[in-house]
Amino acid sequence: MTAVTTSPVIGLVGLGAMGMGSACAMLEAGLDVIGCDISPGACQAFEAAGGRTVASPLELAAECQVVVLVVVNADQVEQVLFGAQGEGGLAERLAPGSLVIQCATVAPSFARELETRLNGMQLELLDAPISGGAVKARSGELSVMSSGSEAAYVKAERVLAAMAANVYRLGDCAGPGSSVKLVNQHLAGVHIAAAAEAMALGMSMGIDPDTLYDVITHSAGNSWMFENRVPHILKGDYTPLSAVDIFVKDLNIVHSTGRELKLAMPVAGSALQQFTAASGAGFGREDDSAVIKVYQRLGSFSLPAANDEGAQ
């Protein structure tokens, strides 16, 4: 007689653009998902999509054997799992043997330390940063740069299948997943800044921006980020899909890790300064393509105005 296995209940903390998409993709894959976010609007949106929500991450422990963290940074991971100012967190309430899938971009050293702490509490960790944006999150086609124990992968199998088109297994402990994500973020940040600078150059020379985009996307100078982000500039639509401040954070982690390794990264440093300038100018919560506004302020060209037809 074949044993019947019960699908685990999944708790997902962080119903932002990526987290909401992944949570909905899991629902469509038949998983039982409980969402949690500090935004009442995000919780209401997930409930409207057919999901359940709770008001606090602590409430997930009673039902969930797998918890997915799609939060912004290491500080939020720390707060969710271990609480703020000694209040206690989710980790101490999870049943032994439960799994935490950590999807935020964090320093590899933080991921390694987190695994040690959770293992000491008889919990598993999958170091699993994600990439692909909100659209691929919603369609369950993310790339997951992961590392962890075989036990963690077994418990994460159905969740990863629902979230991702590509799951890269990069090591048998935490750290390598976050390391590869940092390489990705290095390139992504540099490419966005370079795309903004290139568009600023073209517009400063009087080239029509739509024509320039068409030419470059069919030429050797194209990149995924150029092709994806420049349309936001052309539409004058800086609604944040990934914000400027995300790359201030991520490129700071890249730079800090470089210092730990005694590896100079002047190109990443230059991109970081441009995103920092954009944030300092008040554009931190706008789409990361708004880094071009730094060039516009220092130059003599005009940016395309927002239009209702092009706005997302």
Side-chain angles (χ1 to χ4, degrees), residues 102-310:
Q102 198 298 105
C103 298
T105 301
V106 301
S109 56
F110 176 84
R112 291 190 292 268
E113 179 189 0
L114 181 62
E115 181 178 55
T116 299
R117 293 168 73 184
L118 291 178
N119 286 173
M121 303 171 77
Q122 299 183 341
L123 302 173
E124 296 284 350
L125 173 69
L126 192 68
D127 180 21
I130 54 180
S131 181
V135 172
K136 287 191 176 181
R138 182 62 187 83
S139 62
E141 296 179 306
L142 292 171
S143 289
V144 180
M145 294 157 246
S146 67
S147 60
S149 68
E150 183 61 31
Y153 277 109
V154 170
K155 293 172 183 176
E157 184 176 7
R158 291 195 64 190
V159 174
L160 295 176
M163 290 176 63
N166 299 294
V167 178
Y168 297 99
R169 296 183 60 158
L170 302 166
D172 59 5
C173 61
S178 286
S179 296
V180 173
K181 180 61 187 295
L182 281 196
V183 175
N184 183 80
Q185 294 309 94
H186 175 295
L187 291 167
V190 166
H191 288 175
I192 293 169
E197 186 168 289
M199 289 299 295
L201 173 63
M203 285 186 281
S204 294
M205 294 188 295
I207 305 300
D208 174 70
D210 290 283
T211 300
L212 183 58
Y213 175 74
D214 183 53
V215 173
I216 296 302
T217 53
H218 292 88
S219 303
N222 191 32
S223 70
W224 192 93
M225 282 299 186
F226 186 97
E227 190 164 349
N228 184 267
R229 294 307 203 266
V230 172
H232 303 177
I233 298 169
L234 300 178
K235 296 169 185 174
D237 179 19
Y238 299 96
T239 303
L241 299 179
S242 173
V244 163
D245 279 344
I246 294 294
F247 276 98
V248 174
K249 170 187 73 76
D250 289 357
L251 288 174
N252 261 306
I253 298 172
V254 169
H255 218 53
S256 296
T257 302
R259 288 198 301 273
E260 290 176 13
L261 298 169
K262 295 182 172 57
L263 176 66
M265 289 186 290
V267 177
S270 179
L272 171 59
Q273 290 305 311
Q274 291 304 103
F275 282 106
T276 302
S279 182
F283 309 129
R285 295 193 175 184
E286 295 189 17
D287 187 77
D288 50 35
S289 60
V291 70
I292 196 172
K293 295 182 180 182
V294 174
Y295 294 95
Q296 191 272 332
R297 285 193 169 191
L298 298 174
S300 58
F301 65 94
S302 298
L303 288 170
N307 61 81
D308 293 337
E309 182 179 348

